[in-house]
Amino acid sequence: MTTDKVWGDYPVYYKQPVRWFKYHAHTKPHFVWAIGLGLAAPLLLAISPIRRKYLYADHDPIPKVYPLPTRARDTNLTGFDDE
């Protein structure tokens, strides 16, 4: 009985690192993407302050309450429980 190999022989990391990477990128792409995103995380954290300083600042936060006026209440109002 012969076994059909999907992507050749398993390469040895220390002897053929490029071939080892290509092998795992083909057979286990989820691992390669996870490692790539994990290595990119410190770079993305470093970019955020640079973006705030040179490109654009963060947006204004959305108000969570209605702003109340800073004046005395008008006593001439009528209706809506003001009677």
Side-chain angles (χ1 to χ4, degrees):
M1 180 175 170
T2 61
T3 58
D4 297 329
K5 293 183 180 179
V6 177
W7 185 255
D9 294 331
Y10 187 80
V12 178
Y13 173 72
Y14 296 107
K15 292 181 180 177
Q16 302 166 325
V18 175
R19 186 167 173 253
W20 180 87
F21 180 77
K22 287 181 182 180
Y23 174 85
H24 285 291
H26 180 78
T27 57
K28 301 175 184 176
H30 51 284
F31 289 141
V32 174
W33 279 103
I35 291 170
L37 290 175
L39 292 174
L43 178 65
L44 294 174
L45 289 174
I47 288 175
S48 182
I50 296 171
R51 172 194 55 89
R52 287 187 190 115
K53 184 174 181 182
Y54 295 112
L55 297 176
Y56 56 91
D58 291 336
H59 64 85
D60 294 332
I62 298 172
K64 297 184 187 222
V65 296
Y66 185 78
L68 297 175
T70 57
R71 56 179 167 76
R73 182 177 167 92
D74 188 6
T75 57
N76 297 332
L77 295 175
T78 57
F80 298 105
D81 295 333
D82 286 338
E83 300 175 14

